[in-house]
Structure formats: structure tokens, C-alpha cells
Amino acid sequence: MSDVPSPQKPAGRFRRMLDRLSSSQEEIESEELREDAATAGCTRIGDCQDRQVVTVTGTLRTVTLRPRAGVPALEAELFDGSAALDVVWLGRRSIVGIEPGRRLIASGRVSMSQGRRVLFNPKYELRPLGQE
């Protein structure tokens, strides 16, 4: 046996089916979200750097109302299978369609706040409900 690694062969249909059956639901959903981000031409959240202008897509995990400096702020956690990002709309108590489980595309400048990626007041586009 040699220490030279063998080249990776593309997985066949049977192997992909076995991988899918042995994966958890969370792993399967994460893989689907990563594929969705790639096909939409968006930046993976895990690749976003501080002060970079990006377009990201994913699923909203949580949506909360949390005041910032006495101003209402609607906060949502966007997950794309690679990492999470906080999306914050300042001055808003609610936005129609922004709810957990909804997919969206958001664009803006990423900033870092307490070690987390944040998009403040991004441009956003809700994904059609039929694609979820």
C-alpha cells in the first residue's frame, strides 16, 4: 500500500442514495441550502468578510423584536448551510413575510458585531413560497 491518496471518484447514484439515507435531516437541509446559494449566484455566508458588500440567500431561522438604543429593531438569523448571519431592520417592529422558515435573498454591507456577521437594513427579496 502506498501513501499516495487515490483520486476521488464521482459518487454513483447508489452511493449518493446511501449518503442521503445515512445523513441527518439537518445535514440534508444544509446541503440543499448550500446548493441553492450556489445556483442563485450568491456569496456563501461562511465566506463573507467584514465590510464586504454581498448578496446572500438562505432560510430565516429566528425572527425577534429587539430594541437597539431605544429604537425598535427587527432581527432575523439567516442560515445558508455554511454559516449564520444576523439581518437587522432598524425602526421596524414587523415586516410582512419575514417569519421563521421563509427563504430570502439579502444584499448589503456585512459588519461584525460581537463576533457575528450582521447586515443592517439590507435590500431583500422574499423567495416564492412554492420553492420551499
Side-chain angles (χ1 to χ4, degrees):
M1 301 282 275
S2 69
D3 290 338
V4 177
S6 63
Q8 291 288 338
K9 288 199 260 184
R13 230 183 271 176
F14 182 70
R15 181 68 194 163
R16 284 192 308 263
M17 183 181 70
L18 280 178
D19 288 344
R20 202 161 171 85
L21 289 173
S22 64
S23 299
S24 70
Q25 185 65 29
E26 184 176 331
E27 290 171 340
I28 292 169
E29 288 173 1
S30 292
E31 180 61 31
E32 289 173 356
L33 288 170
R34 284 191 295 269
E35 289 173 6
D36 185 41
T39 58
C42 296
T43 305
R44 290 180 43 206
I45 293 173
D47 296 337
C48 294
Q49 301 297 318
D50 190 26
R51 306 202 39 81
Q52 179 183 12
V53 176
V54 297
T55 299
V56 294
T57 186
T59 300
L60 295 175
R61 284 183 165 173
T62 61
V63 178
T64 58
L65 177 62
R66 184 172 300 145
R68 288 179 173 252
V71 176
L74 185 65
E75 293 187 9
E77 181 183 65
L78 184 69
F79 181 70
D80 76 345
S82 67
L85 172 128
D86 293 331
V87 183
V88 179
W89 288 275
L90 298 171
R92 303 296 300 262
R93 295 185 190 281
S94 66
I95 299 174
V96 175
I98 301 295
E99 56 197 24
R102 187 68 188 255
R103 290 189 181 189
L104 68 93
I105 297 173
S107 300
R109 186 176 302 274
V110 174
S111 64
M112 297 297 284
S113 176
Q114 300 174 356
R116 292 184 55 93
R117 296 174 183 92
V118 182
L119 274 179
F120 286 99
N121 295 325
K123 294 181 201 172
Y124 68 95
E125 175 184 331
L126 297 172
R127 303 294 295 271
L129 291 170
Q131 292 182 358
E132 298 172 8

